[in-house]
Amino acid sequence: MSVKEELINKGYKAYENDEIIVFWKPDLCEHAAECLRGNDKVFDVSRRPWVDVSQAPATEIAEIIDKCPSGALKYELK
C-alpha cells in the first residue's frame, strides 16, 4: 500500500501536483496557523479547497508543513 493510500484510509485528504502531495486530516488540526503564516497563498481557509499546491515550490510547502505541531498536515515529495 502506498503512503497516499495509507493516509487516505486514515482520513487524510490529499492535494497534489507533479511535485508534492499534501495530506490534511481536519480532526487533528490544532489551528496553530503555522501553515497560514508560512504561505497564505498555498493555505487559505477562505478558499475551497483551502490548499493550493500550485502557489509555491514543493520544497517551500514541505518546509511549512514540517512546522505543523499537530501532524494534521503531512506531505510526500514525488
Side-chain angles (χ1 to χ4, degrees), residues 18-55:
D18 293 339
E19 299 177 344
I20 190 169
I21 307 171
V22 172
F23 301 98
W24 178 59
K25 187 169 184 182
D27 298 348
L28 292 179
C29 186
E30 295 176 354
H31 306 289
E34 292 295 331
C35 54
L36 303 177
R37 282 190 290 279
N39 187 320
D40 62 0
K41 290 182 174 77
V42 175
F43 303 99
D44 182 351
V45 295
S46 68
R47 177 184 64 217
R48 295 293 177 261
W50 79 284
V51 178
D52 183 351
V53 293
S54 71
Q55 296 299 312

Side-chain angles (χ1 to χ4, degrees), residues 4 15-23 53 58 75-78:
K4 180 179 177 180
Y15 310 90
E16 65 183 291
N17 63 20
D18 293 339
E19 299 177 344
I20 190 169
I21 307 171
V22 172
F23 301 98
V53 293
Y75 66 90
E76 180 180 14
L77 295 172
K78 293 183 176 181

